[in-house]
Amino acid sequence: MIEIDRLEKSFGSNRVLDGISLQVRQGQVVCIIGPSGSGKSTLLRCVNGLESYEGGEVRVLGQRVDRSRPEIRSVRRQVTMVFQRFNLFPHRTALENVTEGPIHAAGESRASAEAHAHELLARVGLTGKESAYPSQLSGGQQQRVAIARALAMRPRAVLFDEPTSALDPELVGEVLTVMRDLAREGMTMAVVTHEMGFAREVADHVVFMDRGRVVEEGRPAELLTAPREPRTQDFLRRVLRPLD
Amino acid sequence: MTWTSFLRDGREFLPILAQGVWVTIAVTICALLLSTALGIVWALMRTSGKRWLEWPAMIFTNTIRGIPILVQLFYIYFVLPEFGVDLNAFQAGVIGLGVAYSAYMGEVFRAGILAVDAGTIEAAESLGMTRARILSRVVLPQAVRIVLPPYGNNLIMLLKDSSQASVITVAELSTQARLIASSTFKNQEVWTMAALLYLCLSIPLIILVARLEKTFGRR
């Protein structure tokens, strides 16, 4: 469904993505882990056309992703994104945040968009918060609204860019629960995350990235407990036991 | 000056000053509309990301900001006729003040647009919205909230600066006051009345701006 082929991207002289290849198949949950600055978020942003790229290719549902062409909008409607800092529209209520895309990007009728939005907000546990503004919600609630907003487009896949990194620790769980339920329902997901527990439990496939390349990838049980590469071992040791 | 004589003079002068008040209000409203419309154009040009739009807007607004309003008014009223552009005093005053203030309004709007969280624009992009929709649904509604308080401040300044149009014979409040003062020599009475009338116009605006700051400062 998402095919990344020898993708290259630089910011100035800094090579962020160095010929990276990756696949996400229908119904698969792929977790991308790795140190800060390894290019994980940039990779996800390239899939959504929020960044341009210089070499290689990204294809979504067989269509080439090119942010300079108008067709990018149909790609984005089919593969939506959840951001680290939620990026909700602060001047709109939770319900309006969720209906914004369907009504103003997909041309859905207000009545059907609102019915769907009520359903989605219930699904992420926010019934009763429909008319709250983002500033009146906790970080965890805001991120769940953002997930509902991404789902409102009835996407084929959802990209998560460190969805819990900006949250207070006690709010991480409520967001991960929603994501796990979504994975169980068969949603195709690409998740950049530092939550190793989530990766182990939910992912079908884990990718370890460093310096713009895939260092190692495999099933979570193998990669997270018995990594082959020294760099993966080093990273996991620091993440899992930071005080050693 | 005693209270009784002040009130007696008031009864005599206020009708004449009132004519000036109406002209002041008319000049202010017309110049506000012109400066807002032009200001939005400058701000959109300067935030377009396209050099051929950014540069002309930047050069124009900075030129306007660098020339006193008084000189601009003289220019429009006395120099433009030499090029065949004949305007009456009211038109020249509105255009002069409107264009001058469009530079300040443009800067306020530009700051408002730039203050919109880039993340919300990316979120809109990631939903597949078009540029026009993103501008009208995401950028401008947020920018308006940010911009309202400084916009209100500019409005108060515009109201007071409308008195500068008196130099090109626009019969606004301060012009009327000077006419009465120079013919009656009652400077103290006349200018006190003029000052009070200006306060009557600007204090409601000041309260309005404070309200806006309260309402929109929070969210």
Side-chain angles (χ1 to χ4, degrees):
Chain A
M1 175 171 296
I2 298 170
E3 294 154 291
I4 300 164
D5 185 26
R6 285 165 296 178
L7 188 63
E8 289 173 20
K9 161 89 188 166
S10 301
F11 290 117
S13 62
N14 183 16
R15 202 168 185 75
V16 187
L17 297 176
D18 194 8
I20 194 165
S21 298
L22 192 70
Q23 298 231 339
V24 180
R25 278 187 283 279
Q26 170 96 40
Q28 217 181 14
V29 177
V30 174
C31 281
I32 303 162
I33 62 171
S36 313
S38 58
K40 312 179 297 282
S41 291
T42 308
L43 180 70
L44 226 52
R45 292 167 60 82
C46 284
V47 175
N48 200 246
L50 290 174
E51 300 280 357
S52 58
Y53 49 90
E54 291 107 44
E57 195 174 51
V58 179
R59 278 189 307 278
V60 169
L61 299 157
Q63 201 173 357
R64 187 186 149 89
V65 175
D66 181 348
R67 65 176 265 118
S68 62
R69 300 174 64 87
E71 296 88 75
I72 186 66
R73 289 199 294 274
S74 85
V75 172
R76 285 168 170 165
R77 286 197 287 270
Q78 298 181 74
V79 179
T80 51
M81 186 141 172
V82 174
F83 299 87
Q84 180 176 357
R85 289 184 52 252
F86 331 135
N87 297 355
L88 292 180
F89 306 124
H91 55 302
R92 304 205 185 279
T93 63
L95 189 78
E96 289 166 346
N97 263 279
V98 179
T99 57
E100 186 71 17
I103 296 175
H104 296 283
E108 204 176 321
S109 79
R110 178 167 299 274
S112 107
E114 281 183 356
H116 189 210
H118 279 288
E119 211 174 282
L120 288 168
L121 285 174
R123 193 160 140 199
V124 298
L126 288 174
T127 300
K129 295 288 183 191
E130 289 84 357
S131 53
Y133 283 92
S135 61
Q136 297 166 323
L137 298 171
S138 73
Q141 291 171 328
Q142 287 187 53
Q143 192 62 298
R144 285 184 280 150
V145 173
I147 292 172
R149 177 175 69 178
L151 294 176
M153 301 299 289
R154 306 176 205 274
R156 305 282 300 274
V158 182
L159 311 171
F160 292 84
D161 184 10
E162 301 200 31
T164 58
S165 297
L167 293 176
D168 289 338
E170 77 269 23
L171 302 177
V172 169
E174 62 192 60
V175 171
L176 291 182
T177 305
V178 167
M179 289 170 61
R180 188 188 57 205
D181 293 347
L182 196 57
R184 284 191 181 149
E185 289 160 26
M187 177 60 80
T188 309
M189 294 161 62
V191 186
V192 169
T193 187
H194 293 293
E195 296 293 334
M196 296 305 147
F198 176 82
R200 184 171 314 163
E201 188 192 346
V202 178
D204 301 300
H205 193 75
V206 178
V207 177
F208 175 68
M209 267 181 79
D210 192 18
R211 292 191 200 130
R213 291 166 176 271
V214 172
V215 175
E216 188 171 353
E217 58 184 314
R219 301 193 64 78
E222 293 154 19
L223 190 134
L224 294 174
T225 49
R228 290 184 308 267
E229 298 289 327
R231 258 192 287 171
T232 318
Q233 293 165 2
D234 188 48
F235 173 76
L236 286 173
R237 193 170 57 240
R238 281 189 231 197
V239 171
L240 298 175
R241 274 184 296 205
L243 294 180
D244 282 4
Chain B
M1 180 175 84
T2 63
W3 267 111
T4 44
S5 73
F6 184 67
L7 289 176
R8 197 177 51 237
D9 288 334
R11 226 170 298 143
E12 193 182 334
F13 301 153
L14 272 179
I16 307 168
L17 291 173
Q19 295 170 7
V21 168
W22 289 116
V23 177
T24 291
I25 291 173
V27 169
T28 303
I29 290 175
C30 292
L32 178 74
L33 294 176
L34 179 62
S35 64
T36 303
L38 275 178
I40 290 172
V41 173
W42 305 143
L44 289 178
M45 283 171 79
R46 289 197 66 179
T47 54
S48 65
K50 295 188 175 66
R51 266 201 199 169
W52 58 275
L53 287 174
E54 285 176 11
W55 276 84
M58 193 183 77
I59 290 169
F60 186 85
T61 53
N62 282 332
T63 307
I64 294 294
R65 284 203 293 173
I67 301 173
I69 292 176
L70 216 57
V71 176
Q72 291 180 44
L73 288 170
F74 282 137
Y75 211 90
I76 290 170
Y77 194 55
F78 295 117
V79 181
L80 286 190
E82 292 178 21
F83 298 96
V85 184
D86 252 320
L87 299 165
N88 66 33
F90 183 84
Q91 292 165 336
V94 165
I95 292 173
L97 286 163
V99 170
Y101 263 78
S102 77
Y104 307 119
M105 294 299 195
E107 286 301 288
V108 165
F109 296 150
R110 185 169 74 101
I113 290 172
L114 292 179
V116 171
D117 179 5
T120 62
I121 298 169
E122 287 196 335
E125 282 184 67
S126 81
L127 293 171
M129 288 168 74
T130 61
R131 279 187 170 213
R133 282 290 170 97
I134 293 174
L135 191 66
S136 68
R137 304 268 325 158
V138 178
V139 177
L140 291 182
Q142 289 189 77
V144 165
R145 280 148 201 264
I146 298 166
V147 150
L148 268 178
Y151 179 76
N153 261 324
N154 274 358
L155 170 56
I156 294 166
M157 303 222 304
L158 174 58
L159 172 74
K160 293 181 295 173
D161 273 341
S162 68
S163 62
Q164 298 203 44
S166 67
V167 299
I168 55 167
T169 74
V170 176
E172 48 72 60
L173 177 51
S174 72
T175 308
Q176 298 296 81
R178 200 170 53 217
L179 286 177
I180 304 170
S182 61
S183 61
T184 62
F185 300 109
K186 292 189 171 174
N187 277 298
Q188 196 181 7
E189 291 82 351
V190 172
W191 290 113
T192 305
M193 285 178 209
L196 288 173
L197 286 171
Y198 272 115
L199 277 177
C200 288
L201 292 174
S202 54
I203 283 179
L205 289 178
I206 291 170
I207 293 171
L208 181 73
V209 171
R211 283 254 177 100
L212 292 177
E213 276 177 14
K214 240 189 190 165
T215 317
F216 293 112
R218 266 175 292 155
R219 198 163 283 145

